[in-house]
Amino acid sequence: MSRLFWFGLGIAAGVAASRKAGQAAHAATPAGIGENVGQGLRQLAGALGSFGADVRAGMSEREDELHDTVARQTGVTPGRRARRAID
């Protein structure tokens, strides 16, 4: 029974090592490198898009704060908010 266990364990380790070696070999080919670069660029684009959305949200929030401050201190409603009130 012990020999059968070790034989099965050896087969499993061999299959795992073979698959890992195949993946490493594929990653070293031009197609594999292209996939890695493409995936990296997609992640970068997603991060940049997320950053841009956060910046736009922050800008909008700050602009609203500034509009409120100007309206409170001067009594004048700034341009964009006045247009929103008309629409």
Side-chain angles (χ1 to χ4, degrees):
M1 188 69 158
S2 175
R3 288 183 184 192
L4 184 60
F5 169 75
W6 289 111
F7 181 71
L9 189 62
I11 289 175
V15 168
S18 173
R19 296 185 106 203
K20 196 72 161 171
Q23 290 172 350
H26 175 71
T29 64
I33 293 170
E35 289 174 8
N36 289 339
V37 169
Q39 183 180 15
L41 288 175
R42 280 190 297 277
Q43 290 175 350
L44 178 63
L48 287 174
S50 165
F51 175 73
D54 289 345
V55 168
R56 284 189 298 276
M59 286 172 42
S60 177
E61 182 179 325
R62 181 64 178 148
E63 186 176 358
D64 289 341
E65 289 173 3
L66 291 172
H67 281 282
D68 289 341
T69 301
V70 168
R72 195 173 51 249
Q73 289 182 356
T74 64
V76 176
T77 304
R80 191 176 97 179
R81 196 170 273 187
R83 277 185 254 136
R84 271 196 258 159
I86 294 171
D87 293 338

